Amino acid sequence: MSLIAAGAIALAAALDWLVREPPASLHPVAWFGRLVEPLDRGWTLPRSVSFWIALLCPLAAGLAVGGVVALGSLVHPVAGGVLAGLALFATTSLRLLLDEAAGVVAASDTDVAAARERLPALAGRDAGDLSAGHLRSAAVESAAENLADGLVAPLGAFALLAPESLALAAGAAAWVKAVNTLDSMLGYPSKPHGWLSARLDDAVMWLPARASALLLTIVARSPDPMLAARRWADAPPSPNSGWPMGTVASALQIKLEKPGSYTLNGVASLPTVDDAERAISLVGSAGLAAYGVAILWEVLVWA
């Protein structure tokens, strides 16, 4: 089973690199978002509603995905492995993240207006007044943070549970992705019905954020970046995002800053184009390392 799980992870990694992501019309995460949209409205008892949204929506996603993989496994173990790989592909993202971040960085050097137009698809902030340096900072920050949210968290859940059951592993990856999607859609102070979704995402992302910082430190070939990141980890409002972002800031000795909100490594300068490109490359290397560690784990468990 673990060898099939290793194959499922390899399939997801290959599809991520070759396809980037499924078409929107076929993307399970897009389907989940459309199902959640009607819940994003005013409620008489929003805190109570937040409990049921945070509990039931990710559970439904996990059961649906896990059920499909379980049915495939009944037909043939390899069929279950292929379906599990497709599920993992749908719940993770690396290549698209890197490409979008690189696109903002490239545009920041030649057409700041175009970079401002591209940034909202990558980072949730007002780009209207951002300088070229702050646009590059936002791209690097998003790449680092989404390494944890978009890859390490669902991949880690899948890898840990795959030796027991591919259906359980795929369901766990879907559950994690659903939790993160709910936070992206509802986890704002202006939306009290998303209060528990935000708190649940904070809890679920605690370990992946720090694991991502460790991976970034390893590919940077120095223990210093993660140690330095500890000093800045509490600067962002999120209890987790400061770890991967701070590690990148330390590894490349650049300042990452969201104006009016936080600054990481304030003694350095905002990233140049070359700095930002190296930062995105560092995130890409850490993502590939995450896939490699997950595959190695499955092989070692089988052995």
Side-chain angles (χ1 to χ4, degrees):
M1 179 63 74
S2 288
L3 285 182
I4 294 178
I9 295 170
L11 174 62
L15 288 173
D16 177 82
W17 191 254
L18 295 172
V19 181
R20 300 204 311 174
E21 71 171 5
S25 60
L26 300 176
H27 205 311
V29 177
W31 299 345
F32 180 78
R34 286 194 289 270
L35 291 174
V36 171
E37 280 181 357
L39 303 177
D40 187 11
R41 61 182 180 83
W43 294 90
T44 304
L45 299 172
R47 285 295 182 97
S48 297
V49 170
S50 76
F51 173 83
W52 294 109
I53 291 175
L55 175 67
L56 296 179
C57 291
L59 180 62
L63 288 174
V65 172
V68 170
V69 174
L71 289 174
S73 297
L74 289 176
V75 174
H76 194 279
V78 174
V82 171
L83 288 172
L86 292 173
L88 184 60
F89 165 56
T91 56
T92 54
S93 179
L94 179 62
R95 175 71 185 276
L96 179 64
L97 168 69
L98 300 176
D99 288 351
E100 289 298 317
V104 171
V105 170
S108 74
D109 190 41
T110 57
D111 189 343
V112 172
R116 289 170 177 161
E117 290 179 4
R118 292 193 66 159
L119 184 65
L122 182 67
R125 67 183 65 177
D126 183 5
D129 296 325
L130 293 183
S131 66
H134 280 115
L135 288 165
R136 291 190 285 270
S137 176
V140 172
E141 292 166 50
S142 183
E145 181 178 7
N146 282 289
L147 170 67
D149 294 350
L151 178 63
V152 173
L155 175 61
F158 183 96
L160 288 174
L161 293 175
E164 297 299 324
S165 165
L166 280 178
L168 185 61
W175 183 87
V176 169
K177 187 62 178 179
V179 167
N180 187 246
T181 302
L182 281 179
D183 177 59
S184 299
M185 296 179 67
L186 308 178
Y188 302 95
S190 61
K191 298 182 178 184
H193 52 286
W195 174 80
L196 190 58
S197 295
R199 301 290 77 76
L200 181 59
D201 183 71
D202 288 343
V204 169
M205 288 307 304
W206 190 93
L207 183 58
R210 287 149 183 84
S212 297
L214 179 59
L215 286 167
L216 288 163
T217 295
I218 291 171
V219 298
R221 301 179 185 177
S222 169
D224 295 336
M226 189 172 181
L227 295 175
R230 294 179 62 185
R231 302 199 301 268
W232 314 314
D234 294 335
S238 164
N240 299 312
S241 63
W243 283 91
M245 292 192 302
T247 302
V248 170
S250 176
L252 299 179
Q253 283 303 297
I254 56 176
K255 177 171 71 174
L256 298 178
E257 181 176 60
K258 182 177 181 180
S261 182
Y262 59 81
T263 300
L264 307 178
N265 198 14
V267 298
S269 300
L270 289 169
T272 63
V273 171
D274 182 62
D275 291 332
E277 289 175 346
R278 288 191 296 124
I280 293 168
S281 178
L282 185 70
V283 171
S285 296
L288 293 177
Y291 280 121
V293 169
I295 292 172
L296 181 61
W297 166 258
E298 303 303 334
V299 172
L300 291 177
V301 169
W302 180 82

